[in-house]
Short mmCIF file of all heavy atoms in Angstrom, two decimals:
data_model
loop_
_atom_site.label_atom_id
_atom_site.label_comp_id
_atom_site.label_asym_id
_atom_site.label_seq_id
_atom_site.Cartn_x
_atom_site.Cartn_y
_atom_site.Cartn_z
N MET Q 1 -9.59 6.05 -2.10
CA MET Q 1 -8.26 5.61 -1.74
C MET Q 1 -7.25 6.28 -2.67
O MET Q 1 -7.44 6.32 -3.88
CB MET Q 1 -8.17 4.09 -1.83
CG MET Q 1 -6.82 3.56 -1.41
SD MET Q 1 -6.71 1.77 -1.50
CE MET Q 1 -7.37 1.33 0.09
N ALA Q 2 -6.18 6.80 -2.11
CA ALA Q 2 -5.16 7.50 -2.88
C ALA Q 2 -4.35 6.50 -3.72
O ALA Q 2 -4.17 5.35 -3.31
CB ALA Q 2 -4.24 8.26 -1.95
N PRO Q 3 -3.84 6.94 -4.87
CA PRO Q 3 -3.05 6.03 -5.71
C PRO Q 3 -1.67 5.75 -5.08
O PRO Q 3 -1.17 6.53 -4.27
CB PRO Q 3 -2.90 6.81 -7.01
CG PRO Q 3 -3.05 8.24 -6.62
CD PRO Q 3 -4.01 8.25 -5.47
N ILE Q 4 -1.10 4.64 -5.47
CA ILE Q 4 0.25 4.27 -5.03
C ILE Q 4 1.22 4.84 -6.06
O ILE Q 4 1.11 4.56 -7.26
CB ILE Q 4 0.39 2.75 -4.91
CG1 ILE Q 4 -0.57 2.23 -3.84
CG2 ILE Q 4 1.82 2.35 -4.61
CD1 ILE Q 4 -0.69 0.73 -3.78
N ILE Q 5 2.19 5.64 -5.57
CA ILE Q 5 3.16 6.29 -6.46
C ILE Q 5 4.56 6.17 -5.87
O ILE Q 5 4.71 5.91 -4.67
CB ILE Q 5 2.81 7.79 -6.67
CG1 ILE Q 5 2.82 8.54 -5.33
CG2 ILE Q 5 1.47 7.95 -7.36
CD1 ILE Q 5 2.70 10.05 -5.46
N PRO Q 6 5.60 6.39 -6.68
CA PRO Q 6 6.96 6.41 -6.13
C PRO Q 6 7.13 7.60 -5.19
O PRO Q 6 6.57 8.67 -5.41
CB PRO Q 6 7.85 6.56 -7.37
CG PRO Q 6 7.00 6.17 -8.52
CD PRO Q 6 5.59 6.49 -8.15
N LEU Q 7 7.91 7.42 -4.15
CA LEU Q 7 8.18 8.49 -3.20
C LEU Q 7 8.72 9.74 -3.91
O LEU Q 7 8.42 10.86 -3.51
CB LEU Q 7 9.18 8.01 -2.14
CG LEU Q 7 9.63 9.01 -1.09
CD1 LEU Q 7 8.45 9.58 -0.32
CD2 LEU Q 7 10.64 8.38 -0.15
N ALA Q 8 9.48 9.55 -4.96
CA ALA Q 8 10.05 10.68 -5.71
C ALA Q 8 8.97 11.60 -6.28
O ALA Q 8 9.24 12.77 -6.55
CB ALA Q 8 10.95 10.16 -6.84
N MET Q 9 7.76 11.11 -6.45
CA MET Q 9 6.67 11.91 -7.01
C MET Q 9 5.76 12.52 -5.95
O MET Q 9 4.87 13.29 -6.28
CB MET Q 9 5.84 11.04 -7.97
CG MET Q 9 6.61 10.58 -9.19
SD MET Q 9 5.64 9.50 -10.26
CE MET Q 9 4.30 10.58 -10.73
N MET Q 10 5.97 12.21 -4.68
CA MET Q 10 5.12 12.73 -3.61
C MET Q 10 5.45 14.21 -3.39
O MET Q 10 6.61 14.56 -3.24
CB MET Q 10 5.35 11.93 -2.33
CG MET Q 10 4.45 12.30 -1.18
SD MET Q 10 2.68 12.09 -1.46
CE MET Q 10 2.53 10.32 -1.60
N PRO Q 11 4.44 15.08 -3.39
CA PRO Q 11 4.69 16.51 -3.17
C PRO Q 11 5.23 16.79 -1.77
O PRO Q 11 4.97 16.04 -0.83
CB PRO Q 11 3.30 17.15 -3.34
CG PRO Q 11 2.46 16.12 -4.00
CD PRO Q 11 3.04 14.79 -3.66
N GLU Q 12 5.95 17.90 -1.66
CA GLU Q 12 6.50 18.33 -0.37
C GLU Q 12 5.38 18.56 0.64
O GLU Q 12 4.30 19.03 0.29
CB GLU Q 12 7.28 19.63 -0.53
CG GLU Q 12 8.56 19.49 -1.29
CD GLU Q 12 9.30 20.81 -1.42
OE1 GLU Q 12 9.01 21.76 -0.66
OE2 GLU Q 12 10.16 20.90 -2.30
N GLY Q 13 5.65 18.24 1.90
CA GLY Q 13 4.71 18.50 2.97
C GLY Q 13 3.62 17.46 3.14
O GLY Q 13 2.81 17.55 4.05
N LYS Q 14 3.60 16.46 2.30
CA LYS Q 14 2.55 15.43 2.38
C LYS Q 14 3.00 14.26 3.26
O LYS Q 14 4.15 13.83 3.22
CB LYS Q 14 2.23 14.88 0.98
CG LYS Q 14 1.62 15.89 0.05
CD LYS Q 14 0.18 16.13 0.41
CE LYS Q 14 -0.47 17.04 -0.63
NZ LYS Q 14 -1.86 17.25 -0.35
N ASP Q 15 2.07 13.76 4.05
CA ASP Q 15 2.30 12.54 4.81
C ASP Q 15 1.98 11.36 3.92
O ASP Q 15 1.02 11.40 3.14
CB ASP Q 15 1.40 12.50 6.05
CG ASP Q 15 1.78 13.54 7.08
OD1 ASP Q 15 2.98 13.70 7.33
OD2 ASP Q 15 0.88 14.19 7.63
N SER Q 16 2.77 10.32 4.02
CA SER Q 16 2.51 9.13 3.21
C SER Q 16 2.89 7.88 3.99
O SER Q 16 3.56 7.94 5.01
CB SER Q 16 3.27 9.20 1.88
OG SER Q 16 4.65 9.38 2.10
N LYS Q 17 2.42 6.75 3.47
CA LYS Q 17 2.67 5.44 4.07
C LYS Q 17 3.43 4.61 3.06
O LYS Q 17 3.08 4.58 1.88
CB LYS Q 17 1.34 4.78 4.43
CG LYS Q 17 1.49 3.41 5.04
CD LYS Q 17 0.18 2.87 5.57
CE LYS Q 17 -0.76 2.52 4.44
NZ LYS Q 17 -1.93 1.76 4.86
N ILE Q 18 4.47 3.92 3.52
CA ILE Q 18 5.25 3.05 2.63
C ILE Q 18 4.44 1.81 2.32
O ILE Q 18 3.98 1.11 3.23
CB ILE Q 18 6.59 2.67 3.27
CG1 ILE Q 18 7.43 3.92 3.53
CG2 ILE Q 18 7.35 1.68 2.39
CD1 ILE Q 18 8.69 3.68 4.33
N ILE Q 19 4.26 1.54 1.03
CA ILE Q 19 3.51 0.36 0.59
C ILE Q 19 4.46 -0.78 0.27
O ILE Q 19 4.25 -1.92 0.67
CB ILE Q 19 2.63 0.70 -0.64
CG1 ILE Q 19 1.66 1.83 -0.31
CG2 ILE Q 19 1.91 -0.54 -1.14
CD1 ILE Q 19 0.69 1.54 0.82
N SER Q 20 5.53 -0.48 -0.48
CA SER Q 20 6.50 -1.51 -0.83
C SER Q 20 7.81 -0.86 -1.25
O SER Q 20 7.87 0.34 -1.51
CB SER Q 20 5.97 -2.39 -1.98
OG SER Q 20 5.84 -1.63 -3.16
N ILE Q 21 8.85 -1.68 -1.31
CA ILE Q 21 10.15 -1.24 -1.81
C ILE Q 21 10.53 -2.18 -2.94
O ILE Q 21 10.67 -3.38 -2.73
CB ILE Q 21 11.22 -1.26 -0.70
CG1 ILE Q 21 10.80 -0.33 0.44
CG2 ILE Q 21 12.58 -0.85 -1.26
CD1 ILE Q 21 11.69 -0.40 1.65
N ASN Q 22 10.66 -1.61 -4.14
CA ASN Q 22 10.97 -2.41 -5.33
C ASN Q 22 12.45 -2.26 -5.66
O ASN Q 22 12.83 -1.45 -6.50
CB ASN Q 22 10.11 -1.95 -6.51
CG ASN Q 22 8.63 -2.06 -6.21
OD1 ASN Q 22 8.20 -2.95 -5.50
ND2 ASN Q 22 7.84 -1.15 -6.75
N ALA Q 23 13.28 -3.05 -4.97
CA ALA Q 23 14.73 -2.94 -5.13
C ALA Q 23 15.37 -4.29 -4.84
O ALA Q 23 14.69 -5.24 -4.44
CB ALA Q 23 15.27 -1.88 -4.18
N GLY Q 24 16.69 -4.33 -5.01
CA GLY Q 24 17.45 -5.53 -4.70
C GLY Q 24 17.60 -5.71 -3.19
O GLY Q 24 17.31 -4.80 -2.41
N LYS Q 25 18.08 -6.88 -2.80
CA LYS Q 25 18.19 -7.21 -1.38
C LYS Q 25 19.06 -6.23 -0.61
O LYS Q 25 18.74 -5.85 0.51
CB LYS Q 25 18.74 -8.62 -1.20
CG LYS Q 25 17.75 -9.70 -1.53
CD LYS Q 25 18.36 -11.07 -1.27
CE LYS Q 25 17.38 -12.16 -1.66
NZ LYS Q 25 17.94 -13.49 -1.39
N CYS Q 26 20.18 -5.81 -1.19
CA CYS Q 26 21.09 -4.90 -0.48
C CYS Q 26 20.43 -3.57 -0.17
O CYS Q 26 20.52 -3.07 0.95
CB CYS Q 26 22.37 -4.68 -1.29
SG CYS Q 26 23.44 -6.11 -1.33
N LEU Q 27 19.75 -2.99 -1.16
CA LEU Q 27 19.09 -1.70 -0.94
C LEU Q 27 17.91 -1.86 0.02
O LEU Q 27 17.71 -1.02 0.90
CB LEU Q 27 18.63 -1.08 -2.25
CG LEU Q 27 17.93 0.28 -2.13
CD1 LEU Q 27 18.81 1.28 -1.38
CD2 LEU Q 27 17.55 0.81 -3.49
N ILE Q 28 17.15 -2.93 -0.11
CA ILE Q 28 16.03 -3.16 0.81
C ILE Q 28 16.55 -3.25 2.24
O ILE Q 28 16.00 -2.63 3.15
CB ILE Q 28 15.24 -4.43 0.43
CG1 ILE Q 28 14.44 -4.17 -0.85
CG2 ILE Q 28 14.32 -4.85 1.56
CD1 ILE Q 28 13.75 -5.40 -1.41
N ASN Q 29 17.63 -4.00 2.46
CA ASN Q 29 18.20 -4.13 3.81
C ASN Q 29 18.69 -2.79 4.33
O ASN Q 29 18.51 -2.47 5.50
CB ASN Q 29 19.31 -5.17 3.83
CG ASN Q 29 18.78 -6.58 3.67
OD1 ASN Q 29 17.62 -6.85 3.96
ND2 ASN Q 29 19.64 -7.47 3.20
N ARG Q 30 19.32 -2.01 3.47
CA ARG Q 30 19.83 -0.69 3.88
C ARG Q 30 18.67 0.22 4.29
O ARG Q 30 18.73 0.88 5.33
CB ARG Q 30 20.62 -0.08 2.74
CG ARG Q 30 21.20 1.26 3.08
CD ARG Q 30 22.08 1.75 1.96
NE ARG Q 30 22.57 3.08 2.27
CZ ARG Q 30 23.05 3.90 1.40
NH1 ARG Q 30 23.15 3.54 0.14
NH2 ARG Q 30 23.48 5.09 1.75
N LEU Q 31 17.62 0.26 3.46
CA LEU Q 31 16.48 1.11 3.77
C LEU Q 31 15.77 0.64 5.04
O LEU Q 31 15.37 1.46 5.88
CB LEU Q 31 15.51 1.15 2.59
CG LEU Q 31 16.01 1.93 1.37
CD1 LEU Q 31 15.11 1.66 0.17
CD2 LEU Q 31 16.08 3.42 1.67
N ARG Q 32 15.61 -0.65 5.19
CA ARG Q 32 14.95 -1.17 6.40
C ARG Q 32 15.75 -0.83 7.66
O ARG Q 32 15.17 -0.54 8.70
CB ARG Q 32 14.74 -2.67 6.29
CG ARG Q 32 13.61 -3.01 5.35
CD ARG Q 32 13.29 -4.49 5.32
NE ARG Q 32 12.15 -4.72 4.46
CZ ARG Q 32 11.87 -5.88 3.91
NH1 ARG Q 32 12.65 -6.92 4.14
NH2 ARG Q 32 10.82 -6.01 3.14
N SER Q 33 17.07 -0.85 7.56
CA SER Q 33 17.89 -0.50 8.73
C SER Q 33 17.72 0.96 9.13
O SER Q 33 17.95 1.34 10.28
CB SER Q 33 19.37 -0.81 8.47
OG SER Q 33 19.93 0.11 7.56
N MET Q 34 17.29 1.80 8.18
CA MET Q 34 17.03 3.21 8.46
C MET Q 34 15.58 3.44 8.89
O MET Q 34 15.21 4.57 9.20
CB MET Q 34 17.35 4.07 7.23
CG MET Q 34 18.82 4.07 6.87
SD MET Q 34 19.24 5.27 5.58
CE MET Q 34 18.34 4.68 4.18
N GLY Q 35 14.75 2.39 8.86
CA GLY Q 35 13.36 2.53 9.29
C GLY Q 35 12.35 2.57 8.17
O GLY Q 35 11.17 2.77 8.42
N PHE Q 36 12.78 2.40 6.93
CA PHE Q 36 11.87 2.40 5.79
C PHE Q 36 11.27 1.00 5.65
O PHE Q 36 11.79 0.15 4.93
CB PHE Q 36 12.60 2.81 4.50
CG PHE Q 36 12.98 4.25 4.47
CD1 PHE Q 36 14.13 4.69 5.09
CD2 PHE Q 36 12.18 5.18 3.82
CE1 PHE Q 36 14.49 6.04 5.07
CE2 PHE Q 36 12.52 6.52 3.79
CZ PHE Q 36 13.68 6.95 4.43
N ILE Q 37 10.18 0.79 6.37
CA ILE Q 37 9.53 -0.52 6.44
C ILE Q 37 8.08 -0.35 5.99
O ILE Q 37 7.47 0.70 6.24
CB ILE Q 37 9.59 -1.07 7.88
CG1 ILE Q 37 11.05 -1.21 8.31
CG2 ILE Q 37 8.85 -2.39 8.01
CD1 ILE Q 37 11.25 -1.43 9.78
N GLU Q 38 7.53 -1.35 5.33
CA GLU Q 38 6.15 -1.29 4.86
C GLU Q 38 5.21 -0.87 5.99
O GLU Q 38 5.38 -1.27 7.13
CB GLU Q 38 5.71 -2.64 4.28
CG GLU Q 38 6.35 -3.00 2.95
CD GLU Q 38 7.76 -3.58 3.07
OE1 GLU Q 38 8.27 -3.73 4.21
OE2 GLU Q 38 8.36 -3.89 2.04
N ASN Q 39 4.23 -0.04 5.64
CA ASN Q 39 3.21 0.51 6.54
C ASN Q 39 3.73 1.57 7.52
O ASN Q 39 3.00 1.99 8.40
CB ASN Q 39 2.46 -0.59 7.30
CG ASN Q 39 1.67 -1.47 6.36
OD1 ASN Q 39 0.99 -0.98 5.47
ND2 ASN Q 39 1.78 -2.77 6.54
N THR Q 40 4.98 1.98 7.37
CA THR Q 40 5.53 3.05 8.20
C THR Q 40 5.17 4.39 7.58
O THR Q 40 5.17 4.55 6.36
CB THR Q 40 7.06 2.92 8.31
OG1 THR Q 40 7.38 1.65 8.86
CG2 THR Q 40 7.66 4.01 9.17
N LEU Q 41 4.86 5.37 8.42
CA LEU Q 41 4.51 6.70 7.94
C LEU Q 41 5.76 7.55 7.78
O LEU Q 41 6.70 7.44 8.57
CB LEU Q 41 3.55 7.39 8.92
CG LEU Q 41 2.24 6.66 9.18
CD1 LEU Q 41 1.40 7.44 10.16
CD2 LEU Q 41 1.48 6.43 7.89
N LEU Q 42 5.76 8.39 6.76
CA LEU Q 42 6.86 9.32 6.54
C LEU Q 42 6.31 10.62 5.96
O LEU Q 42 5.16 10.68 5.53
CB LEU Q 42 7.93 8.73 5.65
CG LEU Q 42 7.59 8.30 4.22
CD1 LEU Q 42 7.64 9.47 3.26
CD2 LEU Q 42 8.56 7.25 3.77
N LYS Q 43 7.14 11.65 5.97
CA LYS Q 43 6.74 12.95 5.44
C LYS Q 43 7.86 13.47 4.55
O LYS Q 43 9.03 13.45 4.93
CB LYS Q 43 6.47 13.94 6.57
CG LYS Q 43 6.01 15.29 6.09
CD LYS Q 43 5.63 16.17 7.26
CE LYS Q 43 4.83 17.34 6.75
NZ LYS Q 43 4.01 17.92 7.80
N VAL Q 44 7.49 13.94 3.35
CA VAL Q 44 8.46 14.56 2.46
C VAL Q 44 8.63 16.00 2.92
O VAL Q 44 7.67 16.78 2.91
CB VAL Q 44 7.98 14.51 0.99
CG1 VAL Q 44 8.95 15.25 0.10
CG2 VAL Q 44 7.81 13.08 0.53
N LYS Q 45 9.82 16.35 3.37
CA LYS Q 45 10.07 17.72 3.84
C LYS Q 45 10.37 18.65 2.67
O LYS Q 45 9.78 19.70 2.56
CB LYS Q 45 11.20 17.74 4.85
CG LYS Q 45 10.80 17.13 6.17
CD LYS Q 45 11.81 17.46 7.21
CE LYS Q 45 11.16 17.46 8.58
NZ LYS Q 45 12.07 17.88 9.61
N LYS Q 46 11.32 18.26 1.82
CA LYS Q 46 11.60 19.07 0.63
C LYS Q 46 12.49 18.33 -0.34
O LYS Q 46 13.20 17.39 0.02
CB LYS Q 46 12.22 20.41 1.00
CG LYS Q 46 13.55 20.33 1.70
CD LYS Q 46 14.03 21.74 2.02
CE LYS Q 46 15.17 21.72 3.01
NZ LYS Q 46 15.68 23.04 3.31
N GLY Q 47 12.44 18.77 -1.58
CA GLY Q 47 13.31 18.25 -2.62
C GLY Q 47 14.41 19.27 -2.88
O GLY Q 47 14.14 20.44 -3.04
N VAL Q 48 15.66 18.80 -2.90
CA VAL Q 48 16.79 19.70 -3.10
C VAL Q 48 17.78 19.08 -4.08
O VAL Q 48 18.29 18.00 -3.84
CB VAL Q 48 17.53 19.94 -1.75
CG1 VAL Q 48 18.70 20.88 -1.93
CG2 VAL Q 48 16.59 20.44 -0.69
N ASN Q 49 18.01 19.77 -5.18
CA ASN Q 49 19.05 19.37 -6.14
C ASN Q 49 19.09 17.86 -6.44
O ASN Q 49 20.11 17.21 -6.31
CB ASN Q 49 20.43 19.81 -5.66
CG ASN Q 49 20.55 21.31 -5.55
OD1 ASN Q 49 19.89 22.04 -6.29
ND2 ASN Q 49 21.38 21.78 -4.66
N GLY Q 50 17.98 17.32 -6.83
CA GLY Q 50 17.94 15.91 -7.22
C GLY Q 50 17.84 14.93 -6.06
O GLY Q 50 18.05 13.74 -6.25
N SER Q 51 17.56 15.42 -4.87
CA SER Q 51 17.38 14.51 -3.74
C SER Q 51 16.17 14.97 -2.92
O SER Q 51 15.69 16.08 -3.07
CB SER Q 51 18.63 14.46 -2.86
OG SER Q 51 18.90 15.72 -2.32
N LEU Q 52 15.70 14.09 -2.07
CA LEU Q 52 14.56 14.38 -1.20
C LEU Q 52 15.00 14.31 0.25
O LEU Q 52 15.78 13.44 0.62
CB LEU Q 52 13.45 13.33 -1.38
CG LEU Q 52 12.62 13.34 -2.63
CD1 LEU Q 52 11.63 12.18 -2.57
CD2 LEU Q 52 11.88 14.64 -2.79
N ILE Q 53 14.47 15.20 1.05
CA ILE Q 53 14.65 15.12 2.50
C ILE Q 53 13.32 14.60 3.05
O ILE Q 53 12.27 15.20 2.82
CB ILE Q 53 14.96 16.50 3.11
CG1 ILE Q 53 16.11 17.13 2.36
CG2 ILE Q 53 15.14 16.37 4.62
CD1 ILE Q 53 17.40 17.27 3.03
N VAL Q 54 13.38 13.46 3.72
CA VAL Q 54 12.17 12.86 4.27
C VAL Q 54 12.35 12.64 5.77
O VAL Q 54 13.47 12.43 6.25
CB VAL Q 54 11.80 11.52 3.58
CG1 VAL Q 54 11.51 11.73 2.12
CG2 VAL Q 54 12.88 10.49 3.75
N SER Q 55 11.25 12.71 6.49
CA SER Q 55 11.26 12.48 7.93
C SER Q 55 10.53 11.18 8.20
O SER Q 55 9.40 10.98 7.74
CB SER Q 55 10.56 13.65 8.64
OG SER Q 55 10.53 13.42 10.02
N ILE Q 56 11.19 10.30 8.94
CA ILE Q 56 10.59 9.01 9.29
C ILE Q 56 11.01 8.67 10.72
O ILE Q 56 12.19 8.77 11.06
CB ILE Q 56 11.00 7.92 8.27
CG1 ILE Q 56 10.27 6.63 8.53
CG2 ILE Q 56 12.48 7.70 8.24
CD1 ILE Q 56 10.37 5.63 7.40
N ASN Q 57 10.05 8.35 11.54
CA ASN Q 57 10.30 8.00 12.95
C ASN Q 57 11.13 9.07 13.66
O ASN Q 57 12.01 8.75 14.45
CB ASN Q 57 10.99 6.64 13.06
CG ASN Q 57 10.13 5.51 12.55
OD1 ASN Q 57 8.91 5.54 12.69
ND2 ASN Q 57 10.75 4.51 11.96
N GLY Q 58 10.89 10.33 13.36
CA GLY Q 58 11.59 11.42 14.03
C GLY Q 58 12.98 11.72 13.51
O GLY Q 58 13.66 12.58 14.05
N CYS Q 59 13.43 11.02 12.47
CA CYS Q 59 14.75 11.26 11.89
C CYS Q 59 14.60 11.76 10.46
O CYS Q 59 13.71 11.32 9.74
CB CYS Q 59 15.58 9.98 11.88
SG CYS Q 59 15.96 9.36 13.52
N ASP Q 60 15.50 12.65 10.05
CA ASP Q 60 15.50 13.15 8.67
C ASP Q 60 16.57 12.42 7.87
O ASP Q 60 17.69 12.22 8.36
CB ASP Q 60 15.78 14.65 8.64
CG ASP Q 60 14.65 15.47 9.22
OD1 ASP Q 60 13.55 14.92 9.42
OD2 ASP Q 60 14.86 16.67 9.47
N TYR Q 61 16.20 12.05 6.64
CA TYR Q 61 17.13 11.37 5.74
C TYR Q 61 17.10 12.06 4.39
O TYR Q 61 16.04 12.51 3.94
CB TYR Q 61 16.73 9.90 5.54
CG TYR Q 61 16.84 9.06 6.78
CD1 TYR Q 61 15.73 8.79 7.56
CD2 TYR Q 61 18.06 8.52 7.17
CE1 TYR Q 61 15.83 8.02 8.70
CE2 TYR Q 61 18.17 7.74 8.31
CZ TYR Q 61 17.05 7.50 9.07
OH TYR Q 61 17.15 6.73 10.20
N ALA Q 62 18.25 12.11 3.74
CA ALA Q 62 18.33 12.59 2.36
C ALA Q 62 18.44 11.36 1.46
O ALA Q 62 19.30 10.51 1.66
CB ALA Q 62 19.54 13.49 2.17
N LEU Q 63 17.54 11.27 0.49
CA LEU Q 63 17.54 10.15 -0.45
C LEU Q 63 17.73 10.68 -1.86
O LEU Q 63 17.10 11.67 -2.23
CB LEU Q 63 16.21 9.39 -0.39
CG LEU Q 63 15.80 8.75 0.92
CD1 LEU Q 63 14.42 8.14 0.78
CD2 LEU Q 63 16.80 7.70 1.34
N GLY Q 64 18.54 10.01 -2.65
CA GLY Q 64 18.64 10.34 -4.07
C GLY Q 64 17.36 9.95 -4.78
O GLY Q 64 16.60 9.10 -4.31
N MET Q 65 17.12 10.58 -5.93
CA MET Q 65 15.89 10.30 -6.67
C MET Q 65 15.82 8.85 -7.13
O MET Q 65 14.74 8.27 -7.17
CB MET Q 65 15.76 11.24 -7.87
CG MET Q 65 15.38 12.63 -7.48
SD MET Q 65 13.78 12.66 -6.65
CE MET Q 65 13.56 14.40 -6.46
N GLY Q 66 16.95 8.24 -7.45
CA GLY Q 66 16.94 6.84 -7.86
C GLY Q 66 16.43 5.94 -6.75
O GLY Q 66 15.60 5.05 -6.97
N MET Q 67 16.89 6.20 -5.54
CA MET Q 67 16.44 5.42 -4.39
C MET Q 67 14.98 5.72 -4.08
O MET Q 67 14.19 4.82 -3.81
CB MET Q 67 17.32 5.76 -3.18
CG MET Q 67 17.27 4.77 -2.07
SD MET Q 67 18.34 5.20 -0.68
CE MET Q 67 19.95 4.88 -1.36
N ALA Q 68 14.61 7.00 -4.15
CA ALA Q 68 13.23 7.40 -3.84
C ALA Q 68 12.23 6.84 -4.85
O ALA Q 68 11.07 6.63 -4.52
CB ALA Q 68 13.13 8.92 -3.79
N THR Q 69 12.68 6.58 -6.07
CA THR Q 69 11.80 6.01 -7.10
C THR Q 69 11.44 4.57 -6.78
O THR Q 69 10.40 4.08 -7.19
CB THR Q 69 12.49 6.11 -8.48
OG1 THR Q 69 12.77 7.47 -8.74
CG2 THR Q 69 11.63 5.55 -9.58
N LYS Q 70 12.28 3.88 -6.04
CA LYS Q 70 12.05 2.47 -5.72
C LYS Q 70 11.13 2.26 -4.51
O LYS Q 70 10.69 1.16 -4.24
CB LYS Q 70 13.39 1.78 -5.47
CG LYS Q 70 14.28 1.78 -6.70
CD LYS Q 70 15.63 1.21 -6.38
CE LYS Q 70 16.63 1.34 -7.49
NZ LYS Q 70 16.26 0.88 -8.78
N ILE Q 71 10.83 3.34 -3.78
CA ILE Q 71 9.96 3.26 -2.60
C ILE Q 71 8.56 3.68 -3.00
O ILE Q 71 8.33 4.82 -3.38
CB ILE Q 71 10.50 4.17 -1.47
CG1 ILE Q 71 11.92 3.78 -1.09
CG2 ILE Q 71 9.56 4.09 -0.25
CD1 ILE Q 71 12.61 4.76 -0.16
N MET Q 72 7.63 2.75 -2.96
CA MET Q 72 6.25 3.02 -3.35
C MET Q 72 5.45 3.44 -2.12
O MET Q 72 5.49 2.77 -1.09
CB MET Q 72 5.62 1.79 -4.00
CG MET Q 72 6.39 1.28 -5.22
SD MET Q 72 6.65 2.53 -6.50
CE MET Q 72 4.99 2.69 -7.10
N VAL Q 73 4.76 4.58 -2.26
CA VAL Q 73 4.01 5.14 -1.13
C VAL Q 73 2.59 5.48 -1.54
O VAL Q 73 2.26 5.56 -2.71
CB VAL Q 73 4.71 6.40 -0.57
CG1 VAL Q 73 6.08 6.08 -0.04
CG2 VAL Q 73 4.80 7.50 -1.61
N GLN Q 74 1.79 5.75 -0.53
CA GLN Q 74 0.40 6.18 -0.73
C GLN Q 74 0.17 7.33 0.24
O GLN Q 74 0.58 7.27 1.41
CB GLN Q 74 -0.53 5.01 -0.42
CG GLN Q 74 -1.97 5.27 -0.73
CD GLN Q 74 -2.79 4.00 -0.54
OE1 GLN Q 74 -2.59 3.25 0.41
NE2 GLN Q 74 -3.69 3.74 -1.46
N GLU Q 75 -0.48 8.38 -0.27
CA GLU Q 75 -0.77 9.53 0.59
C GLU Q 75 -1.61 9.07 1.78
O GLU Q 75 -2.52 8.26 1.63
CB GLU Q 75 -1.49 10.62 -0.19
CG GLU Q 75 -1.65 11.89 0.60
CD GLU Q 75 -2.22 13.03 -0.21
OE1 GLU Q 75 -2.17 12.99 -1.46
OE2 GLU Q 75 -2.75 13.96 0.42
N TYR Q 76 -1.28 9.61 2.93
CA TYR Q 76 -1.94 9.21 4.17
C TYR Q 76 -2.59 10.44 4.78
O TYR Q 76 -1.94 11.46 4.99
CB TYR Q 76 -0.92 8.62 5.14
CG TYR Q 76 -1.49 8.20 6.46
CD1 TYR Q 76 -2.16 6.99 6.58
CD2 TYR Q 76 -1.36 9.00 7.59
CE1 TYR Q 76 -2.69 6.59 7.79
CE2 TYR Q 76 -1.88 8.61 8.80
CZ TYR Q 76 -2.55 7.40 8.90
OH TYR Q 76 -3.07 7.00 10.10
N SER Q 77 -3.87 10.35 5.07
CA SER Q 77 -4.56 11.45 5.75
C SER Q 77 -4.98 10.98 7.13
O SER Q 77 -5.56 9.92 7.29
CB SER Q 77 -5.75 11.93 4.94
OG SER Q 77 -6.49 10.86 4.44
N LYS Q 78 -4.64 11.78 8.10
CA LYS Q 78 -4.88 11.41 9.51
C LYS Q 78 -6.33 11.51 9.88
O LYS Q 78 -7.10 12.22 9.39
CB LYS Q 78 -4.06 12.32 10.41
CG LYS Q 78 -2.59 12.14 10.17
CD LYS Q 78 -1.79 13.12 11.01
CE LYS Q 78 -0.32 12.98 10.66
NZ LYS Q 78 0.52 13.89 11.35
#
């Protein structure tokens, strides 16, 4: 079983599954409204200038490293 790590540490091109979000209620609600929900699959497309581009449910989002550090993920192999 792969270790659980912050999304900010997931290498580019890897598929991962959201395990938890360690943040306050406002940020959790914001992320959930964008589709960042536990057990949802996402893919890190690339890291650019202190932010990450991730694909989730067919949509691309740019997240700052602070936000990405609060999202705990686990590498997912199909």
